[in-house]
C-alpha cells in the first residue's frame, strides 16, 4: 500500500466529480502563507512567511481543495509564538464563521506546545476550540514530534480537535510521531512533497504535514456533500464519516498510535454516485485527447514513447498509425495530460485502478458478462454498448478463436442523448459521438452493467403486482435491476412469472428489516 498513490487517486475521483472545495476557507494558524504557485490569488490575512512552514502546509491544503481559499494567521512568526495569539486567531475564526454562513471554515493547526495541565491558559485554549466545534467548524491539529507518549502536548491532547499522527508512505508509524489516547487518525507525514518559499518544491517530514492531508480530505467530503445536497455537513457527522472511512492500521479499533486509522475517503458514505464519477472520468479523457494503443491501461507520460507504442502494437502498420496520432496530440499541447487505452482499458482503468471495483482486468467480452442484456430501445445513460461477432472466428489453422456473439469492442453511454464515449482506434483515440455515428449496425449488443444498475433509470417506481403474468416496461426494469444485483429473474421480458416472483422474494429476504 503506497499512500501517496492512493491519495492522488482520491483527489482525482473527487475533483472529477466536481468536489474541489468551492466555498471552503482553510484558516491556517502557522508561520504565515506566502502566495506563490497554486496559492496565488487564494490567500488573505498574513502573506509574510520567512520560515516556509505555513506556505508548505497551505500548499497541501490547496492541492486537495483547489477551489478553496486560505486565511492565514501568522501566529508563529519565526517558528515559535505566543499561545495568546493562537487563541485570538481561533476567536476571530469563530466570529468570521458566525458572520458569514455562506462559507465553511476549516482550521488547520500544524503546531504544538507543552503546558502544565493546571495552567490557566489551558482552559482558555480548550474553550476556544470547543466554541468552534459547537458552531460546526472542524479543527485539525498535529499530534507533535516527540516520538513518545505525551499527555501534555497542546492542542493535540484536547478532546474537541481532530488530532493527526504521522506514518510513512507504506503506512508504518513514523518514529518521531507523538502518540496518546486523543489521536484520531494517522496520515502520510514522512518525506512529503510541497511548496518551498525559496525555489520550486521541497520535502518535509512531521505530523505538521500529515495534518493538512487529513484536513484536505475532510474538505473534499464537505464539498461533495454540499454539491449533492445543497446543505452543510454538520461537524459531528463529518467526524463519523471520517471514522467509518478509516482503514485500521493498529490493534482493532481506535488506538493511541493510529487513532481510527488511515483515511480512504473513497469508502465514505456520501451521495456522490459512482456513475457520475465514471462519466466525469470518461469526459476528461475526451478533453485530454487520450489515445488508443493495443493493450494500454491508462499509461501517461513519460512512459508513452514511440518505442513503447511499437512494443505494444501487433504490427508496424498499427504502430505507425498510433504514433502518428500520439505525436499530433503532443504537438497540440496534450502530451502531459493524455492517457493511453485500448477499448476495454478505458473503462477498466477507472473500475480497477481508480475505484477498486474489480480486482482483475477484463476484456470487452468479459465486461459484457458483467451486464444484464438489454435491447437498443432500452438504452439509458450509464449503459454499455458492444460490437459482437456475427459468426464464429477461426485462425488460419482452423482453430476457433472467438464465438458468435463474443464482444470485441465496447463503448459507454454518457448522457440522455445517447452519446457514446469509446477508445475508437489508433487514428481517432478516445472520442465522444452519437450512438449511430457509424450507422445503426455499428453497435449490435447492449448491456446494463451490474455496478451501475441501481443508478440507471432515474426516479424510483413502486410496483404492486396484482396478478401473475402481468406485463409492463416497469416489470422489465425490475427484472433488469434484480438480475444485475444477483437475484435471478430469468429473461428480462417484462412478464411477471414465477422466475420474477422468486427474484423479488430473494431480494426481500436478503433485505428484511431494512
Amino acid at each position: 500500500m503506497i499512500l501517496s498513490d492512493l491519495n492522488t487517486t482520491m483527489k482525482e475521483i473527487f475533483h472529477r466529480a466536481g468536489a474541489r472545495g468551492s466555498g471552503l476557507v482553510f484558516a491556517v494558524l502557522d508561520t504565515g502563507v506566502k502566495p506563490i504557485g497554486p496559492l496565488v490569488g487564494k490567500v488573505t490575512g498574513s502573506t509574510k512567511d520567512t520560515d516556509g512552514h505555513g506556505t508548505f502546509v497551505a500548499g497541501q491544503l490547496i492541492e486537495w481543495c483547489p477551489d478553496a481559499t486560505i486565511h492565514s494567521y501568522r501566529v508563529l512568526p519565526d517558528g515559535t509564538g505566543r499561545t495568546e495569539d493562537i487563541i485570538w486567531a481561533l476567536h476571530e475564526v469563530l466570529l468570521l464563521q458566525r458572520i458569514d454562513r455562506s462559507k465553511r471554515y476549516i482550521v488547520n493547526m500544524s503546531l504544538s506546545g507543552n503546558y502544565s495541565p493546571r495552567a490557566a491558559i489551558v482552559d482558555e485554549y480548550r474553550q476556544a476550540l470547543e466554541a468552534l466545534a459547537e458552531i460546526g467548524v472542524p479543527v485539525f491539529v498535529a499530534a507533535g514530534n516527540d516520538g513518545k507518549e505525551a499527555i501534555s502536548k497542546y492542542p493535540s491532547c484536547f478532546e474537541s480537535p481532530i488530532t493527526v499522527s504521522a506514518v510513512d508512505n507504506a503506512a508504518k508509524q513514523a518514529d518521531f510521531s507523538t502518540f496518546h489516547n486523543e489521536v484520531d487518525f494517522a496520515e502520510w507525514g514522512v518525506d512529503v512533497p510541497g511548496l518551498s518559499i525559496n525555489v520550486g518544491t521541497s520535502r518535509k517530514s512531521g505530523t505538521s504535514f500529515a495534518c493538512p492531508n487529513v484536513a484536505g480530505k475532510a474538505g473534499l467530503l464537505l464539498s461533495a456533500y454540499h454539491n449533492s445536497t445543497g446543505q452543510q455537513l454538520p461537524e459531528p457527522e463529518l467526524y463519523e464519516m471520517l471514522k467509518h472511512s478509516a482503514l485500521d492500521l493498529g490493534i482493532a479499533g481506535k488506538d493511541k498510535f493510529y487513532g481510527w486509522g488511515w483515511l480512504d475517503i473513497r469508502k465514505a458514505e456520501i451521495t456522490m454516485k459512482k456513475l457520475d464519477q465514471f462519466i466525469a472520468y470518461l469526459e476528461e479523457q475526451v478533453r485530454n485527447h487520450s489515445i488508443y494503443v493495443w493493450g494500454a491501461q491508462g499509461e501517461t507520460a513519460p512512459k508513452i514513447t514511440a518505442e513503447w507504442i511499437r512494443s505494444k502494437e501487433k504490427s508496424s502498420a498499427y504502430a505507425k498509425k498510433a504514433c502518428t496520432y500520439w505525436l499530433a496530440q503532443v504537438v497540440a499541447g496534450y502530451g502531459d495530460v493524455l492517457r493511453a487505452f485500448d477499448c476495454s482499458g478505458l473503462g477498466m482503468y477507472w473500475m480497477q485502478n481508480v475505484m477498486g471495483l474489480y480486482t482483475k482486468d477484463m476484456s470487452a467480452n468479459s465486461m459484457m458478462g458483467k451486464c444484464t442484456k438489454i435491447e437498443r430501445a432500452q438504452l439509458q445513460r450509464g449503459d454499455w454498448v458492444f460490437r459482437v461477432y456475427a459468426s464464429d472466428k477461426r485462425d488460419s489453422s482452423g482453430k476457433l478463436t472467438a464465438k458468435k456473439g463474443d464482444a470485441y469492442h465496447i463503448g459507454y453511454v454518457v448522457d440522455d442523448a445517447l452519446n457514446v464515449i469509446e477508445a475508437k482506434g489508433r487514428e481517432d483515440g478516445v472520442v465522444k459521438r452519437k450512438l449511430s455515428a457509424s450507422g445503426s449496425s455499428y453497435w449490435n449488443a447492449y448491456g446494463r452493467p451490474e455496478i451501475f444498475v441501481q443508478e440507471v433509470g432515474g426516479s424510483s417506481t413502486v410496483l404492486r403486482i396484482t396478478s401473475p403474468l402481468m406485463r409492463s416496461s416497469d416489470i422489465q426494469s425490475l427484472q433488469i435491476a434484480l438480475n444485475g444485483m444477483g437475484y435471478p429473474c430469468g429473461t428480462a421480458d417484462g412478464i411477471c412469472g414465477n422466475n420474477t416472483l422468486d427474484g423479488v422474494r430473494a431480494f426481500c429476504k436478503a433485505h428484511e428489516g431494512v
Side-chain angles (χ1 to χ4, degrees), residues 108-112 140-145 153-157 162-165 180 206-212:
N108 189 95
M109 300 175 67
S110 291
L111 52 83
S112 62
F140 296 86
V141 303
N145 301 322
K153 204 74 173 175
Y154 298 95
S156 74
C157 62
I162 298 170
T163 297
V164 183
S165 65
H180 50 65
T207 57
S208 284
F209 315 112
C211 184

Side-chain angles (χ1 to χ4, degrees), residues 15 55 60 106 118 152 203 246 286 290-291 298 338 433 435:
H15 293 174
T55 302
Q60 288 180 268
I106 303 172
R118 297 178 181 176
S152 58
R203 289 184 175 267
V286 175
S290 290
I291 65 173
L338 63 78
R433 58 198 192 121
L435 178 69

Side-chain angles (χ1 to χ4, degrees), residues 100-415:
D100 189 356
R101 288 290 186 172
S102 68
K103 297 177 181 176
R104 185 69 183 270
Y105 282 80
I106 303 172
V107 175
N108 189 95
M109 300 175 67
S110 291
L111 52 83
S112 62
N114 295 306
Y115 305 93
S116 165
R118 297 178 181 176
I121 202 165
V122 169
D123 282 336
E124 292 183 43
Y125 210 164
R126 179 188 294 108
Q127 290 167 13
L129 290 165
E130 289 176 350
L132 286 167
E134 286 174 4
I135 68 164
V137 176
V139 180
F140 296 86
V141 303
N145 301 322
D146 288 341
K148 59 184 180 181
E149 186 169 9
I151 59 173
S152 58
K153 204 74 173 175
Y154 298 95
S156 74
C157 62
F158 290 134
E159 183 179 358
S160 62
I162 298 170
T163 297
V164 183
S165 65
V167 292
D168 67 16
N169 206 14
K172 302 298 182 184
Q173 182 188 356
D175 57 9
F176 56 76
S177 187
T178 301
F179 54 91
H180 50 65
N181 287 331
E182 292 299 333
V183 169
D184 293 286
F185 303 105
E187 183 52 76
W188 179 34
V190 179
D191 202 28
V192 179
L195 286 175
S196 168
I197 60 170
N198 298 316
V199 56
T201 60
S202 62
R203 289 184 175 267
K204 295 181 182 290
S205 296
T207 57
S208 284
F209 315 112
C211 184
N213 274 323
V214 173
K217 289 179 181 181
L220 289 184
L221 292 178
L222 291 174
S223 183
Y225 185 87
H226 186 263
N227 289 351
S228 299
T229 68
Q231 305 295 317
Q232 297 288 1
L233 180 66
E235 197 272 348
E237 282 83 349
L238 170 65
Y239 185 80
E240 288 301 307
M241 190 178 288
L242 292 170
K243 187 172 78 172
H244 290 298
S245 69
L247 176 64
D248 201 344
L249 297 178
I251 61 174
K254 190 173 185 285
D255 65 67
K256 64 179 67 174
F257 298 103
Y258 305 105
W260 294 107
W262 173 78
L263 295 175
D264 184 353
I265 57 173
R266 296 175 299 177
K267 296 161 51 180
E269 295 179 3
I270 197 163
T271 53
M272 192 169 63
K273 295 181 178 180
K274 292 194 296 290
L275 176 56
D276 292 342
Q277 297 178 54
F278 181 54
I279 290 175
Y281 153 81
L282 292 172
E283 296 279 10
E284 182 180 40
Q285 305 318 312
V286 175
R287 289 194 304 273
N288 290 349
H289 291 224
S290 290
I291 65 173
Y292 181 103
V293 176
W294 177 261
Q297 296 286 319
E299 291 84 356
T300 59
K303 185 166 186 176
I304 301 175
T305 63
E307 290 75 19
W308 177 79
I309 292 173
R310 284 192 285 269
S311 73
K312 298 287 289 184
E313 283 294 353
K314 287 186 167 184
S315 71
S316 58
Y318 286 156
K320 183 178 180 180
K321 290 179 180 179
C323 284
T324 299
Y325 184 80
W326 165 64
L327 285 171
Q329 310 321 306
V330 171
V331 170
Y334 297 101
D336 291 334
V337 295
L338 63 78
R339 292 183 179 272
F341 303 100
D342 63 9
C343 70
S344 60
L346 175 60
M348 286 307 304
Y349 173 78
W350 183 86
M351 288 181 277
Q352 184 180 6
N353 300 96
V354 175
M355 294 296 287
L357 299 175
Y358 295 113
T359 58
K360 295 182 180 179
D361 186 26
M362 288 188 283
S363 65
N365 194 52
S366 296
M367 293 173 76
M368 189 169 68
K370 296 295 184 180
C371 296
T372 298
K373 184 179 179 180
I374 61 174
E375 300 300 321
R376 186 183 181 96
Q378 295 174 277
L379 282 173
Q380 299 181 54
R381 177 179 182 267
D383 289 331
W384 295 351
V385 292
F386 302 90
R387 301 192 72 188
V388 302
Y389 291 114
S391 60
D392 290 348
K393 296 292 179 181
R394 300 181 183 275
D395 62 18
S396 57
S397 66
K399 182 181 177 180
L400 182 68
T401 56
K403 297 179 181 178
K404 177 182 178 181
D406 283 355
Y408 60 91
H409 190 57
I410 181 173
Y412 313 92
V413 180
V414 296
D415 55 32

Side-chain angles (χ1 to χ4, degrees), residues 33-69:
V33 176
K34 186 176 181 180
I36 58 174
L39 296 173
V40 172
K42 296 182 179 293
V43 183
T44 58
S46 179
T47 56
K48 182 179 180 181
D49 182 12
T50 57
D51 181 272
H53 189 280
T55 302
F56 193 100
V57 166
Q60 288 180 268
L61 294 168
I62 289 297
E63 189 175 331
W64 282 100
C65 297
D67 291 347
T69 56

